[in-house]
Amino acid sequence: PSYPDLHGFGRRNLGISPDEARNDMIYQMGALTAFTQSKKLQHVKPHGALYIRAGQDPLIAEAVARAVATVDQSLMLFGLSGSALISAGQHCALTTVAEVFADRAYEPDGSLVSRKKPGAVIQDPDQVVKQALNLVKERFAVAVDGSVMRLERDTICLHGDTPGAVNLAVRLRHAFDDADVEVLALGKR
């Protein structure tokens, strides 16, 4: 689910209220559930600007978490590691999934660098692999200012619209295999 922002792919902050965010989340999860009648939803990950805002704004985070809990208390809620969304999901007694990013730059506070800034998406494949291995094996990332921050993680994201994403995914899988990192589907441990 994301902001109703088709032209901006959900990446523009629409500044909606917590009630509007909750209602939009319930609507979108309901629509997705209708499309997937033969399969049960497993998790919810807000997309784009809604994901970012829910990670920073406790009121929006709470609205998103309450929406997920209203639709199905058994759904897992993905959120940026250490974010308000993870806290709100835990407050709503949801299973939360702390997410880190292989292909995104981090600010010193653990937030993602805005896509409006240069270098927000890591373009160098070697750097993507290095960051992913650091996050998965050592639980840390290096922020844009050079500081090191510890990040808990349950899952790692590689954006499908990152240039060369398919090749990056193959490289990451080989790097994980070489580093004896077991790759599992969520909930399969």
Side-chain angles (χ1 to χ4, degrees), residues 133 137 174-181:
L133 287 172
K137 289 195 62 95
H174 289 304
F176 289 160
D177 288 345
D178 292 345
D180 294 322
V181 172

Side-chain angles (χ1 to χ4, degrees), residues 26-76:
I26 290 171
Y27 170 79
Q28 290 179 50
M29 286 185 291
L32 184 57
T33 299
F35 284 126
T36 62
Q37 283 294 322
S38 65
K39 300 285 184 186
K40 183 179 182 307
L41 290 178
Q42 175 194 41
H43 66 272
V44 174
K45 176 186 172 181
H47 177 259
L50 181 59
Y51 180 91
I52 298 299
R53 185 168 175 207
Q56 298 168 343
D57 181 336
L59 293 176
I60 294 296
E62 189 72 21
V64 167
R66 282 186 301 128
V68 172
T70 297
V71 170
D72 185 344
Q73 188 71 40
S74 72
L75 288 169
M76 292 180 271

Side-chain angles (χ1 to χ4, degrees), residues 51-133:
Y51 180 91
I52 298 299
R53 185 168 175 207
Q56 298 168 343
D57 181 336
L59 293 176
I60 294 296
E62 189 72 21
V64 167
R66 282 186 301 128
V68 172
T70 297
V71 170
D72 185 344
Q73 188 71 40
S74 72
L75 288 169
M76 292 180 271
L77 177 61
F78 280 45
L80 182 64
S81 179
S83 71
L85 187 54
I86 293 292
S87 297
Q90 291 167 345
H91 181 257
C92 289
L94 293 168
T95 300
T96 58
V97 180
E99 183 173 45
V100 294
F101 291 82
D103 58 351
R104 290 294 306 276
Y106 281 90
E107 295 286 0
D109 66 357
S111 64
L112 299 175
V113 172
S114 169
R115 284 183 177 262
K116 295 176 183 174
K117 294 181 179 178
V121 178
I122 302 170
Q123 301 291 328
D124 179 356
D126 292 333
Q127 189 178 353
V128 171
V129 169
K130 182 178 180 180
Q131 177 158 294
L133 287 172

